[in-house]
Amino acid sequence: MAMTPLDELRHSCSHVLATALLRIFPDAKLDIGPPTDTGFYYDVDLEHKLTTDDLAKLEAEMKKIAEENQPFLRKEVSRDEAVEIIKSRGQERYKLGRLADIPEGEKISFYQNGEFMDLCAGTHVRYTSKLKAFKLLSIAGAYHRGDEKNKQLQRIYGTAFASKDELAAYLTQLEQAKLRDHRKLGKDLKLFVVDDEVGQGLILWTPNGAIIRQELQTFISEELRKQGYSQVFTPHIGKLALYKTSGHFPYYKESQFTAFAEPDAMAQLATEGCSCAELTRRLEGVSAQFAAEINQRAGKEVIVKERILDADQLLEGFMLKPMNCPHHIKIFASQPHSYRDLPVRLAEFGTVYRWEQSGELNGMTRVRGFTQDDAHLFCTEDQVAQEVLGCLSLVKTVLTTLGMNDYRVRVGLRDPDSSKFTGDPAKWDVAEAACRTAASTLGVPFTEEPGEAAFYGPKIDFVIKDVIGREWQLGTVQVDYVLPVRFNLSYIGADNAPHRPVMIHRAPFGSMERFCGVLIEHFAGDFPAWLAPEQVRLVPISDKTIDYARALLAKLKAEGLRASLDEHSDKLGAKIRRAEIDKVPYTLVIGQKEAEANSVSVRSRARGDEGVMTADAYVAKLKAEVATRALPDKKKPAPAAPGAPAS
RNA sequence: GCCAACAUAGCUCAGCUGGUAGAGCAACGCUUUCGUAAAGCGUGGGUCAUCGGUUCAAAUCCGAUUGUUGGCUCCA
């Protein structure tokens, strides 16, 4: 695979970094140093714990090496010669393994610059002097070969560009990104908090954030009503039996909160001296009959013998729900359905809990409790393609309304080698074909990714890039042929015989938490009026007009607008500045002139001073902007041409 | 969970090699009544994340714990 010139430059930087590393730390054992989308890194095994001071030293040494103007020389060798070179340089710990990765018959090459020589397919720039704009950024831990069972190495991250200007621009961009980080803005704009005592990864939505979430939920609910969905509500916990049937427990045990038993049962077990291990075993156990059913259905031993217990050993318990689907399935199954009723579309903003690893938690985007804008559709096989398409168009509507156009669509297919995926392969093929077709009619480029499917069926994910370039999976649509079988769902067809429905799981936002996190960064806190926690700030020039301002505030509130009045005795400039910092979309300046004419002087955060209009005209204008969920329009309206008739 | 760094007022941060805390902004009060991004003066506010150790003395040194950040692993 040919490298781009930029990759070549960055890859060369990796080698120069390694050269510098060995000069300063001769005992360093090198692993691998590739270019990345944003720079390069090198993984190194080193007794010495690298510090930021070391980064500066390494960078200075790299500059020296660049100035030494060493040529990059390619050398092709036999496998035996390669082993000799690696051994002679004392780099056998990782490099011999890397050498073994090169398939037999492929060329083996080394690249040399100065005293340094590395096993490498290339390619490189010609001279180290070409490296003019690079910077080491951070040190991180990284497992050898990305496997947590292996030793953790020290990874040095850096970036490089063709010119110093581009490097500076990139570093500025990183700074800018920090300014719109949802964790910073969440604090500044008082949108949400996380409290140690409540727990890591558990979001407390403060009043301002709650307004945004409520508006988004209202928006979604309106769209769902248009599309024939029914709203339901279900509790936050469910019995283990439910998740044993669905297959969620205990296969995903490591990412679930621990199951808990009923208080009476716990007390009884405690008096019997039951150990925790025993309690767990009895909670996770299943009956022989149930195991046989599941194993037969799956066509393999899904339930291992150790989990099968006698009836008197089985202990029923509860768990925090990791998904809403089993609850919705039970609502569907609570009454008989005719084919005429289908599709049944059940929607809920359902809160679920997952035990994410502590190191994975991140602001609102990776949390332990979150609310999905979830829905489950139950339909006939003939309806699948159309319903999937309906779900996709809903996601697209949502993203378009919010001006989120930088996303990609990922069709997650099963990996034939993995036992994670259950169900009939023929049904999988049909479902995968339906997803592919639906994705292709969406008019958005999409990629197919084997192994990314849910265990019960293929899925279509919407992946959005945040400002730091990280990708977040938001909306998702998943086709499921498995759970209807597990829960023995049926509907009566036109032939008066029972048929198996197909389920579709979908969530246009994914989760309210993650979506809001990404949305905060998307708007950099400058929310459109319909989402802004505070839509209008009234700013009286002096307290002489405070009575008019108070009356106006009451009027705006009565009209359902979110307004506040700045009663500080600051000068106008300070009040304007405060409103700007609070990112309020509209500031109304109220002075003597306005009070006398029952008007307002409008200042838009997006467009600046917009002049004076009557209070009534402004209320009507803002209400229309909110009702249409308009995005902020940065452009000033074009002034009417002189002499042109007023429109 | 793993590697590393960090944790001082509501926020952003200062506090050198140990001698029991400071600024700006915010809040509150007074003065000012002002036309599109910062008026002036004053007041209150901190068990220096928590617990333990070293020391005559700890925000400062050491250890543990909790949390945060950057990565890694993971993400039904």
Side-chain angles (χ1 to χ4, degrees), chain A residues 29-32 42-46 50 93-94 98 139-146 150-156:
Chain A
K29 302 300 173 208
L30 302 172
D31 184 14
I32 193 165
Y42 217 110
D43 281 352
V44 59
D45 189 355
L46 187 62
L50 292 167
R93 194 179 295 168
Y94 301 103
R98 298 289 174 189
I139 307 153
Y143 298 106
H144 172 54
R145 292 187 183 278
N150 288 341
K151 180 164 185 185
Q152 191 153 39
L153 310 176
Q154 302 189 72
R155 175 171 296 178
I156 303 169

Side-chain angles (χ1 to χ4, degrees), chain A residues 538 540 545-556 565 567 590:
Chain A
L538 299 181
T545 51
I546 200 91
D547 289 338
Y548 173 63
R550 283 180 183 149
L552 198 51
L553 178 69
K555 179 186 174 74
L556 289 164
L565 170 60
E567 295 208 33
I590 312 238

Side-chain angles (χ1 to χ4, degrees), chain A residues 111-128:
Chain A
Y111 272 81
Q112 180 164 25
N113 59 290
E115 76 276 17
F116 179 67
M117 194 181 218
D118 201 359
L119 178 68
C120 178
T123 46
H124 283 280
V125 297
R126 289 180 165 218
Y127 293 94
T128 56

Side-chain angles (χ1 to χ4, degrees), chain A residues 93 103 138 154 172 190 199 201 231 262 272 302 328 344 383 434 483 513 519 553 585 593 600 607 629:
Chain A
R93 194 179 295 168
S138 62
Q154 302 189 72
T172 309
K190 301 184 175 63
Q231 172 73 51
E262 294 172 26
E272 290 166 11
V302 176
H328 291 180
V344 168
Q383 292 168 330
L483 290 184
E513 284 75 7
L519 198 63
L553 178 69
K593 281 183 283 181
V600 293
R607 301 176 295 276
R629 300 199 168 92

Side-chain angles (χ1 to χ4, degrees), chain A residues 60 116 137 147 191 196 208 226-227 241 306 372 389 443 456 475 495 534-535 551 575 611 622 633:
Chain A
F116 179 67
L137 297 172
D147 186 337
L191 302 177
D196 291 1
N208 284 350
K226 287 182 204 161
Q227 290 204 10
E306 292 74 53
Q372 297 176 311
L389 202 55
Y456 45 65
D495 56 359
E534 184 181 349
Q535 296 164 325
K575 294 180 191 179
L622 180 56
D633 183 1

